Amino acid sequence: MLQPKLSDLPKKWDMIIIGGGILGAGIFHEATKLGIKTLLLEQNDFAWGTSSRSSKLVHGGFRYLGQGRLGLTRTSVVHRQRLIKDAPGLVEPLGFFLPVYKNQHPGKWMLGLGMMAYDLMALKKQHRFYGPQELLKSEPYLCPEGLLGGFHFYDAQVDDSRLVLRLIQEGVANGGTAANYSKVKNINRDRQGDVAGVDAEDVETGDAMIFFAPVVINATGPWTDQLHPLDGTDFHVRFLRGSHLVFSSETLPVSHAVSCLHPEDGRFVFTIPWEGVVLFGTTDLEHEKAMIDSPKITEKEMSYLIEGVQAFFPSLSITRRDCISTFAGVRTVFSKSKKDPSAESREHFLRTDKGLISVAGGKLTTFRKIAWDVLKLAQPHFSFYPRIDTRTTLFSNSFNAISLNSGLSENTVNRLKGRYGKGAERLIHDTLPKDLDHIPGTPTIWAELPYVAKYEQARHLADILLRRLRMGVILPGGGKNHMQRIRGLCQPVLGWDDARWEQEKNNYMNIIQRNYASPGKGLL
Ligand SMILES: Cc1cc2nc3c(=O)[nH]c(=O)nc-3n(C[C@H](O)[C@H](O)[C@H](O)COP(=O)(O)OP(=O)(O)OC[C@H]3O[C@@H](n4cnc5c(N)ncnc54)[C@H](O)[C@@H]3O)c2cc1C
């Protein structure tokens, strides 16, 4: 997947997608499978928006059951099961505990009913109730006071930005084109008002192009109303920020994900083991529109989350100083009212206007369903009729076709296949044995660094360390202690001179400091 130059690209397309988050990438991937000649344009890096800052769950959303959103939960459970099957090594089952405490609301009886409904939707009995002693044996640091036991159940988890990148890679392999750092400035229409294409510009080189297509998909997440204002509808966009804290697994040792009710407001808050660290979140608060380009955790959210982690795991005496990093993402919700943020619908929102189809909201989990909904609306605009088959597996290439004989563990091989698809074979093939080791404290191997730098359209160091790999979030100080080795592996394949490397490193450290550190505190 090499960087395309906008002015070298064909001018005419069947479809143009604006936005390289999960929705844009999911639509791109499904469209290219159908032979639709598709161009995807992303103004920053792929997955730079909300899709690299989620809770990383592929889940039914147990809490949505309590809100009576049975349809959304059922669709999400079905897609969870399909993704686990279709994308091993990228989407993996995750065991959860939902502890039950004395005087808690909802209590054991209500939660038990929810668990049964959750199992029914998956057509599989997956939950079991543990007594307090048995639960504490599995999760010894949980608060024992008033503990009545807890439900064990399954959801799944993903590396969100790697899912986006895999979809884009596969879409490019199917014949599509995807350009990052390419902003759509304007949507063009003909005299009848029908969509005719877009004006796009490479935001760094200034290379500009007019592209033509009879259908344009606006999948720009929090930026959605900038290209397609909501004038004339009853809706307004709400931006809801969710923030997470990241701890080392020594600081917060859990062997399952744990979902507890926050003592302050009774919201479900998750403790999630992920990529060798443990995430704790999320908040759900109004976010200022002026800040959508740069979401970060606030002091108030930090206090709320620390209060939660201390209440659930009191014997660990965790403080904000233990936090490795933080991250914050913005949810786009279309609302007619000013409800409690957590009560707002997580369904996706679609609008069409003479060839312009805007889609936003929804969940990472249901990205395929959303992609099919969009393509059904786009169908009449093509000169041929692409047949959408919702029964196909996600990725067409067979995992078993890749033979990897490297001495790596089965887990690592699966992980590489899940993240890089067929590229996994090249990754191993191009690698020196010393780079097959894990980066300490992570499941990532050193060899992934030169591979993503060379083949995955990374323009900046931050693209490599925050989205293609997640070292910026999972390593203390954004991985600054490993910078020498990172440089040795990446600089030669990127072709950057020393001055460029220094500049990239400084920019990266500034981003980490500004958006991924704890408020009011330097990096660990
Ligand atoms: C805190 C939080 C936790 C979440 N956790 C989960 C979870 O665990 N599981 C789950 O299923 N869902 C979760 N979600 C929901 C899910 O993450 C989002 O619904 C999803 O990531 C949104 O994807 P998107 O593609 O619509 O938007 P984005 O990922 O924001 O992508 C939009 C892209 O459009 C680009 N863009 C904007 N304007 C232009 C332009 N003019 N030209 C070109 N490109 C442009 C942006 O740069 C951006 O990259 C969570 C959401 C939040 C906020």
Side-chain angles (χ1 to χ4, degrees):
M1 208 167 84
L2 300 175
Q3 188 73 43
K5 192 166 175 247
L6 290 189
S7 50
D8 289 345
L9 294 178
K11 287 193 159 198
K12 286 190 170 176
W13 299 85
D14 293 334
M15 183 165 84
I16 296 170
I17 299 170
I18 316 168
I22 188 68
L23 296 193
I27 300 161
F28 178 68
H29 179 242
E30 294 298 326
T32 55
K33 286 206 291 193
L34 296 173
I36 300 167
K37 198 177 152 208
T38 309
L39 172 66
L40 181 147
L41 298 164
E42 162 56 50
Q43 66 174 356
N44 200 295
D45 188 23
F46 302 127
W48 169 77
T50 312
S51 301
S52 56
R53 309 171 204 229
S54 77
S55 304
K56 319 337 176 176
L57 296 176
V58 170
H59 63 156
F62 183 73
R63 75 186 176 89
Y64 305 134
L65 275 179
Q67 299 169 346
R69 300 188 196 284
L70 296 185
L72 177 65
T73 314
R74 156 102 182 115
T75 307
S76 305
V77 167
V78 168
H79 279 270
R80 177 193 71 194
Q81 294 307 104
R82 286 185 69 167
L83 284 169
I84 291 173
K85 196 157 150 265
D86 289 355
L90 181 55
V91 179
E92 292 287 347
L94 176 68
F96 258 88
F97 274 118
L98 176 51
V100 182
Y101 286 93
K102 220 167 156 184
N103 301 328
Q104 170 183 307
H105 181 76
K108 181 179 171 187
W109 190 80
M110 286 276 282
L111 292 172
L113 275 181
M115 288 289 154
M116 281 200 289
Y118 216 47
D119 280 356
L120 266 177
M121 288 175 179
L123 300 176
K124 218 171 175 181
K125 166 132 175 41
Q126 300 202 90
H127 84 273
R128 171 159 103 74
F129 190 78
Y130 282 51
Q133 293 318 318
E134 205 184 354
L135 174 54
L136 287 170
K137 232 189 227 168
S138 286
E139 296 299 344
Y141 300 101
L142 263 178
C143 178
E145 210 175 301
L147 184 67
L148 301 176
F151 290 96
H152 182 268
F153 65 103
Y154 282 97
D155 260 319
Q157 74 180 163
V158 66
D159 181 336
D160 47 5
S161 60
R162 285 277 5 144
L163 175 62
V164 171
L165 285 156
R166 175 91 198 270
L167 291 167
I168 291 177
Q169 278 161 20
E170 300 281 340
V172 169
N174 294 338
T177 298
N180 51 355
Y181 293 97
S182 299
K183 180 171 177 137
V184 169
K185 306 279 235 186
N186 197 33
I187 292 171
N188 299 323
R189 293 180 183 268
D190 62 17
R191 286 212 187 117
Q192 286 73 44
D194 291 325
V195 157
V198 302
D199 294 336
E201 186 186 76
D202 184 311
V203 291
E204 298 188 329
T205 63
D207 185 24
M209 264 302 263
I210 301 175
F211 293 110
F212 298 93
V215 57
V216 171
I217 313 297
N218 170 23
T220 55
W223 296 265
T224 188
D225 63 334
Q226 294 183 3
L227 289 168
H228 194 178
L230 281 158
D231 308 345
T233 73
D234 296 343
F235 290 92
H236 64 273
V237 187
R238 281 183 84 181
F239 305 100
L240 302 178
R241 185 182 60 255
S243 299
H244 290 82
L245 307 181
V246 182
F247 296 99
S248 75
S249 52
E250 289 80 39
T251 301
L252 183 42
V254 284
S255 42
H256 303 76
V258 181
S259 177
C260 288
L261 295 168
H262 195 285
E264 188 181 306
D265 53 11
R267 287 179 56 250
F268 279 113
V269 181
F270 301 123
T271 310
I272 307 167
W274 179 76
E275 293 290 292
V277 290
V278 180
L279 313 180
F280 190 83
T282 174
T283 52
D284 202 357
L285 294 163
E286 213 76 48
H287 183 74
E288 261 183 73
K289 184 170 185 173
M291 295 286 290
I292 54 174
D293 284 350
S294 192
K296 58 182 178 193
I297 191 169
T298 60
E299 176 58 45
K300 200 173 154 204
E301 288 172 283
M302 183 82 192
S303 304
Y304 171 88
L305 291 174
I306 288 289
E307 187 195 335
V309 81
Q310 288 173 342
F312 307 155
F313 305 99
S315 62
L316 295 172
S317 306
I318 290 173
T319 72
R320 59 178 57 206
R321 289 216 58 80
D322 296 310
C323 175
I324 291 178
S325 68
T326 65
F327 61 93
V330 180
R331 208 184 280 282
T332 318
V333 167
F334 295 86
S335 180
K336 288 187 178 175
S337 59
K338 274 262 167 198
K339 304 185 202 173
D340 163 21
S342 298
E344 287 284 12
S345 167
R346 268 41 173 168
E347 302 274 1
H348 61 288
F349 187 80
L350 280 165
R351 281 183 299 147
T352 61
D353 173 18
K354 296 188 153 199
L356 174 63
I357 303 174
S358 288
V359 57
K363 294 169 66 190
L364 199 95
T365 307
T366 51
F367 77 88
R368 270 196 102 188
K369 152 91 172 81
I370 300 174
W372 294 326
D373 287 353
V374 168
L375 287 172
K376 281 177 199 157
L377 290 175
Q379 258 167 346
H381 298 278
F382 301 123
S383 55
F384 62 108
Y385 194 82
R387 279 196 96 73
I388 300 166
D389 181 356
T390 58
R391 292 162 307 178
T392 54
T393 54
L394 180 62
F395 299 123
S396 48
N397 61 328
S398 152
F399 285 105
N400 297 333
I402 307 172
S403 58
L404 295 173
N405 244 335
S406 55
L408 288 168
S409 72
E410 202 183 320
N411 261 354
T412 304
V413 170
N414 276 339
R415 199 175 166 278
L416 294 176
K417 288 177 181 174
R419 279 163 172 73
Y420 303 100
K422 286 189 172 139
E425 201 160 44
R426 180 158 59 180
L427 191 157
I428 305 285
H429 184 263
D430 287 359
T431 297
L432 296 173
K434 69 177 176 53
D435 295 329
L436 292 174
D437 287 348
H438 289 272
I439 299 171
T442 80
T444 308
I445 59 169
W446 289 103
E448 292 177 64
L449 278 159
Y451 177 85
V452 301
K454 186 169 178 183
Y455 294 113
E456 292 199 335
Q457 260 174 262
R459 276 213 201 167
H460 297 289
L461 187 58
D463 302 343
I464 295 174
L465 298 182
L466 279 167
R467 287 169 290 276
R468 280 151 195 73
L469 304 174
R470 314 310 298 268
M471 297 161 76
V473 174
I474 63 183
L475 290 177
K480 65 179 176 185
N481 292 343
H482 295 295
M483 212 39 96
Q484 213 35 45
R485 185 152 180 195
I486 296 171
R487 180 179 187 163
L489 287 164
C490 294
Q491 194 179 346
V493 288
L494 291 162
W496 294 346
D497 62 19
D498 290 350
R500 170 86 190 265
W501 180 269
E502 282 308 314
Q503 188 197 348
E504 289 287 342
K505 191 182 82 182
N506 292 338
N507 286 347
Y508 166 69
M509 290 317 297
N510 285 339
I511 295 170
I512 292 287
Q513 195 70 47
R514 200 174 55 233
N515 294 95
Y516 293 87
S518 300
K521 177 175 102 104
L523 295 168
L524 278 182

